[in-house]
Amino acid sequence: MKISQRVAGVEYAIRDIALEARKLQKQGKEITYLNIGDPLQYGFQPPENVKEALTRAVKEGQNYYAVSEGLSELREEIAKKEKRKGLAVTDDDVLVTNGVSEALEMITASIVEPGDEVLIPGPYYPPYASYVRLFGGIPIEFSVDLHNSTPDLDDIRKKISSRTVAICLISPNNPTGAVFSEKSLKDLVDIANEHDLYIICDEIYDQIVFDEKFVGIGKVSGDSPIVLLNGFSKVHLMSGWRIGYISFNQSKKLEALRENVPKLARVRIATNLPVQYAALESLKGPQNYIPKFVSDLKKRRDYTIKRLNGMNGLSCSNPKGAFYAFPKIENNRYGSDKEFVLGLLKSKGILTVHGSGFGTQYGSGHFRMVFLPDIPVLESALDKIEEFIG
Ligand SMILES: Cc1ncc(COP(=O)(O)O)c(C=O)c1O
């Protein structure tokens, strides 16, 4: 039977590669999963007050279709959070979604037409390219210097064409951990303004930074058209509950988008209502689990990066945020990065993700691993990676 060309091109390396691991697991091989950016699969849990808010909502009968834009108390609390970060928003500017993933799909659907180009940081989180392609557009990667977390402005300028509609920023970044400085963000906003581009900024890791203060896009955006994407999967430890949001700033250039994106929200009815109550509690309740989470991650990051850089044949820049290491494979006797990852999986049972899954231009020749497990698990996995490299 017929299948659309659009859907045939969709890829998600992080989960696609796990199919290989599951096959081996079925044959009895023990696998250490270092492929997926989900803290909840490595022992972290949402705080008790947040779990209780979810079950309370269910028990108290909040089990019906929610309003499409999201619970008004939650939108207010989200607006307060984003305002503290510097973005000029009110509750009317917020749309609650089933994760950043759905938010990204809605925004891409609303701005990309066949042949349009969208600039994305290379290497990129795969859905940015997949959704652009799904709607007939062309993702164009721009270069980022990973040693000092700086976007290459000349490269961006060269890659802007008459078909470019938007520039996407992800800070802190997946898979590289790069965190853009205030100056870099300002430079990017200026370029976007010169060319009348939307700025789509994903700040899902906004509170997971290790070395420097995080700066949100709102701080430098003024009245440029900003579409901010954020969610509860990472900092708020609610990945499985699927909740996120879009915040528009007050830019006049967003008028059409603000009118049209809510139509997509209405077509898909609503997001999960009990989870919206949990998200509300997660923003209003105590925040003291976050520094502990970040400090655990920092120790794991320091350990992982030191070990990787101590291995012959690997080099890894220091991720400034999020929870991913993205080492470069210096002399890959396995051929491609995917063969390296499959070799490591088959011989040592360690599942990572091939760098080319994050874009061939800047991702090839690398692999991505999470540093979410505790140090004994990381130590054993890194020992095996070291043995594999030999
Ligand atoms: C940059 C980035 N954006 C979005 C997501 C997915 O977010 P959500 O769980 O809210 O759909 C991820 C998950 O890894 C991510 O790394």
Side-chain angles (χ1 to χ4, degrees):
M1 299 296 285
K2 183 176 150 60
I3 185 132
S4 77
Q5 279 299 316
R6 284 192 308 279
V7 80
V10 172
E11 278 175 52
Y12 191 54
I14 303 162
R15 281 175 177 255
D16 296 346
I17 194 83
L19 302 178
E20 296 297 326
R22 261 186 248 138
K23 269 190 235 157
L24 291 171
Q25 207 170 12
K26 265 201 183 144
Q27 293 160 16
K29 193 164 179 78
E30 200 179 307
I31 308 290
T32 306
Y33 286 86
L34 299 179
N35 63 314
I36 188 142
D38 182 358
L40 286 98
Q41 295 188 37
Y42 300 92
F44 296 101
Q45 280 291 302
E48 284 308 311
N49 59 309
V50 175
K51 288 185 186 171
E52 279 160 17
L54 177 72
T55 51
R56 198 180 324 119
V58 172
K59 285 185 185 149
E60 287 179 357
Q62 316 288 1
N63 299 310
Y64 45 91
Y65 284 144
V67 285
S68 299
E69 291 77 10
L71 197 65
S72 59
E73 301 96 293
L74 176 60
R75 294 166 78 203
E76 271 168 34
E77 215 50 46
I78 290 169
K80 276 192 215 158
K81 168 178 169 162
E82 294 304 340
K83 230 172 163 172
R84 281 196 296 273
K85 287 165 58 190
L87 195 73
V89 282
T90 69
D91 47 343
D92 281 343
D93 307 315
V94 174
L95 194 70
V96 179
T97 60
N98 290 294
V100 168
S101 308
E102 189 191 45
L104 180 62
E105 182 182 7
M106 286 179 177
I107 295 300
T108 317
S110 305
I111 65 175
V112 173
E113 292 198 295
D116 285 346
E117 294 173 5
V118 175
L119 284 161
I120 56 179
Y124 54 78
Y125 174 57
Y128 279 80
S130 294
Y131 282 127
V132 170
R133 288 197 193 103
L134 186 63
F135 294 106
I138 306 162
I140 308 276
E141 299 171 63
F142 63 83
S143 152
V144 177
D145 182 335
L146 296 187
H147 293 289
N148 56 20
S149 270
T150 310
D152 182 339
L153 302 179
D154 291 335
D155 190 50
I156 294 174
R157 282 204 178 87
K158 266 191 267 162
K159 289 174 177 167
I160 292 176
S161 77
S162 59
R163 295 307 308 258
T164 312
V165 292
I167 177 161
C168 298
L169 315 176
I170 305 164
S171 176
N173 182 275
N174 173 7
T176 62
V179 178
F180 287 162
S181 68
E182 185 163 345
K183 173 161 185 338
S184 293
L185 291 171
K186 180 78 182 89
D187 290 340
L188 290 164
V189 166
D190 289 345
I191 295 181
N193 278 338
E194 273 166 42
H195 299 272
D196 239 352
L197 307 178
Y198 289 110
I199 301 158
I200 299 165
C201 193
D202 180 333
E203 296 185 356
I204 195 166
Y205 299 99
D206 57 5
Q207 293 178 77
I208 308 177
V209 287
F210 308 120
D211 306 313
E212 290 151 31
K213 250 188 95 206
F214 165 82
V215 181
I217 189 76
K219 202 114 190 252
V220 299
S221 57
D223 59 3
S224 315
I226 304 289
V227 180
L228 182 95
L229 310 182
N230 206 342
F232 292 83
S233 296
K234 314 292 179 179
V235 175
H236 298 277
L237 299 169
M238 291 166 54
S239 52
W241 294 351
R242 312 304 303 126
I243 183 157
Y245 56 91
I246 301 169
S247 288
F248 300 106
N249 73 344
Q250 311 286 336
S251 170
K252 290 244 176 328
K253 293 182 180 167
L254 290 180
E255 258 167 33
L257 205 54
R258 295 164 69 103
E259 195 179 314
N260 285 282
V261 177
K263 290 187 202 162
L264 295 178
R266 294 197 282 273
V267 161
R268 62 78 162 112
I269 301 183
T271 60
N272 181 324
L273 183 57
V275 168
Q276 294 192 56
Y277 280 100
L280 178 62
E281 173 61 24
S282 165
L283 290 176
K284 286 179 93 163
Q287 304 292 303
N288 51 2
Y289 70 94
I290 301 174
K292 162 86 175 81
F293 173 44
V294 174
S295 112
D296 284 350
L297 289 180
K298 184 172 190 298
K299 285 186 205 126
R300 295 169 195 196
R301 184 229 20 199
D302 292 346
Y303 176 75
T304 302
I305 303 305
K306 191 160 173 231
R307 285 288 312 270
L308 288 170
N309 280 325
M311 293 181 202
N312 253 337
L314 290 184
S315 67
C316 190
S317 58
N318 203 24
K320 294 182 167 31
F323 31 64
Y324 310 98
F326 198 64
K328 184 159 188 262
I329 310 158
E330 297 292 356
N331 290 309
N332 184 7
R333 61 193 152 83
Y334 285 86
S336 70
D337 53 326
K338 188 159 185 187
E339 284 165 291
F340 176 95
V341 162
L342 288 173
L344 177 62
L345 173 66
K346 285 179 188 146
S347 70
K348 300 289 173 189
I350 304 292
L351 181 65
T352 58
V353 187
H354 45 292
S356 49
F358 302 87
T360 47
Q361 197 173 351
Y362 300 104
S364 294
H366 296 73
F367 68 94
R368 190 195 79 170
M369 62 173 277
V370 296
F371 50 79
L372 286 163
D374 60 16
I375 296 208
V377 174
L378 285 172
E379 184 177 16
S380 154
L382 286 157
D383 286 349
K384 289 181 185 160
I385 293 175
E386 193 159 24
E387 283 163 25
F388 176 72
I389 290 170

